[in-house]
Amino acid sequence: MPRLPEPLPDALGEAFSCADASAAGVSLKRLRALDLDIPFRGVRRRAGAGEAAATGPLAEDHAARQRVLDRARAYAQIMSGHAFYCGRTAAVLWGTGALPSGELEVGVVAPERAPRRRGIRGRQLAPTHVEVRTLGGLRLSSPASTWAMLGRDAGVRELVRIGDALVRVPRGDRGRRRPEARLCTVDELAEVVASGRRVGSAKLVKALSLVREGAMSPLETDFRLAVVGAGLPEPLLDREIRDGSGRLAGIADAVWPEYRVIAEVEGDHHRTSRSQWARDIEKHTAYVALGFEVVRLTSAHIRPTGSAAVALVRGALRRRGWSPPN
């Protein structure tokens, strides 16, 4: 029976540099043991660290972010003090739902030299084009400057999705808005666009004109873009619906108050969660009692083209008195 490797000092954590391990008395032989991964040269990580399965309506997004976070924490063990995560890597770490790339993007401010290493995409940035923050002990570009960096390789639709994620105001217990918890504001996005020319400036300007506060998921962003692109009136987003006594009936995804129409964009968890399903029935019954017509939409209505969602909303609006402009 093979001998188990010697325990590592707890002080090393889940990921650590070989230099720190050596200073803690860990031998080179121990660093070659099979219970350690080698994410980067000079770094070791305990095998299986950070692999808890994600659950919930955004499980895939959470799992993708966790994988990037694990790699970022590992590389941070040997990252220089003036470097920081930026671009798509930072967008993932901020929790925007951005798709990760195969490499970690690591930035420095000129005249520092960008790092060159396998698995790392180094970027040298102008001082006017980046602001650095700290998140969970990691240095990374600020939400607004991260968004602007994506103008180089992201399309307008993805920039709008990520922009919506950055400016949305989270809701806490009982639906209370928490503006202090949002990542940035539309004004902050506008400031970085105006901070100087950069690759992708035209796309950033166009995307900025389409970013809205209140879209609570990429699916909701896609729905809004489809509706507006089809010439329908733009809805109000994330709106509290109250009865005559001020009691909260629910928080609607999209509302056309003039026409008393509500659209609800329902992810898969609305179907699989019994408690969510029960809340939806209660909420939609209350909306109808208040005189609203409710259009319930799934991803099949919205993606890939949004034409089915547009047709359903157009029909509801026309029944309620809207007519398209000549």
Side-chain angles (χ1 to χ4, degrees):
M1 183 174 181
R3 291 182 58 187
L4 293 176
E6 297 178 1
L8 292 166
D10 292 337
L12 288 178
E14 293 182 353
F16 50 87
S17 70
C18 293
D20 286 344
S22 179
V26 179
S27 68
L28 290 176
K29 181 180 178 181
R30 179 64 182 88
L31 292 176
R32 299 190 189 102
L34 297 179
D35 66 330
L36 295 177
D37 296 329
I38 308 177
F40 300 97
R41 181 167 54 85
V43 178
R44 298 292 186 272
R45 182 175 58 196
R46 300 173 196 258
E51 293 184 357
T55 60
L58 298 176
E60 290 185 11
D61 287 344
H62 293 325
R65 180 180 182 274
Q66 187 62 51
R67 288 191 293 270
V68 174
L69 181 60
D70 290 342
R71 285 176 54 79
R73 285 173 173 163
Y75 183 68
Q77 306 304 315
I78 54 174
M79 189 165 70
S80 66
H82 54 259
F84 49 87
Y85 295 109
C86 64
R88 194 166 289 277
T89 297
V92 173
L93 294 176
W94 283 117
T96 66
L99 295 175
S101 61
E103 299 175 308
L104 295 179
E105 290 190 50
V106 178
V108 295
V109 175
E112 298 288 347
R113 298 183 63 180
R116 300 182 63 182
R117 179 183 286 262
R118 185 177 181 181
I120 300 298
R121 181 185 181 188
R123 297 183 61 175
Q124 186 189 60
L125 301 162
T128 56
H129 284 178
V130 66
E131 178 185 353
V132 179
R133 302 268 186 89
T134 300
L135 177 69
L138 298 175
R139 284 166 48 84
L140 63 164
S141 51
S142 70
S145 58
T146 294
W147 180 77
M149 290 177 205
L150 297 177
R152 183 171 65 174
D153 55 18
V156 171
R157 180 174 289 270
E158 186 181 13
L159 289 170
V160 177
R161 286 175 179 161
I162 295 172
D164 280 3
L166 291 173
V167 304
R168 75 170 58 115
V169 177
R171 289 184 179 270
D173 295 340
R174 300 182 180 180
R176 182 179 65 86
R177 280 168 56 88
R178 300 180 58 230
E180 75 284 354
R182 67 181 160 193
L183 296 174
C184 70
T185 65
V186 174
D187 287 343
E188 288 173 324
L189 295 183
E191 287 175 8
V192 297
V193 171
S195 65
R197 290 190 60 81
R198 66 179 80 213
V199 178
S201 288
K203 288 189 291 183
L204 291 171
V205 170
K206 184 173 182 180
L208 179 63
S209 70
L210 297 170
V211 171
R212 299 289 185 273
E213 179 187 302
M216 306 306 280
S217 71
L219 191 61
E220 292 181 30
T221 295
D222 288 348
F223 164 67
R224 175 173 55 83
L225 293 178
V227 164
V228 174
L232 302 185
E234 184 165 347
L236 302 180
L237 306 177
D238 190 43
R239 292 292 162 153
E240 297 177 1
I241 306 299
R242 298 182 180 273
D243 62 19
S245 64
R247 185 184 68 85
L248 181 66
I251 300 169
D253 295 334
V255 185
W256 291 264
E258 180 180 356
Y259 304 104
R260 307 294 282 179
V261 171
I262 287 174
E264 291 283 76
V265 179
E266 301 180 352
D268 197 50
H269 68 289
H270 289 262
R271 176 184 61 84
T272 59
S273 168
R274 291 186 62 86
S275 59
Q276 180 69 57
W277 184 57
R279 285 196 299 269
D280 287 343
I281 291 177
E282 181 180 357
K283 179 174 67 172
H284 297 153
T285 300
Y287 291 163
V288 172
L290 292 172
F292 287 93
E293 180 170 346
V294 181
V295 180
R296 301 179 68 180
L297 304 167
T298 68
S299 61
H301 296 110
I302 298 168
R303 292 172 176 166
T305 66
S307 58
V310 168
L312 290 171
V313 172
R314 180 187 286 117
L317 290 172
R318 297 195 75 158
R319 285 190 293 275
R320 293 306 184 101
W322 174 78
S323 59
N326 293 330

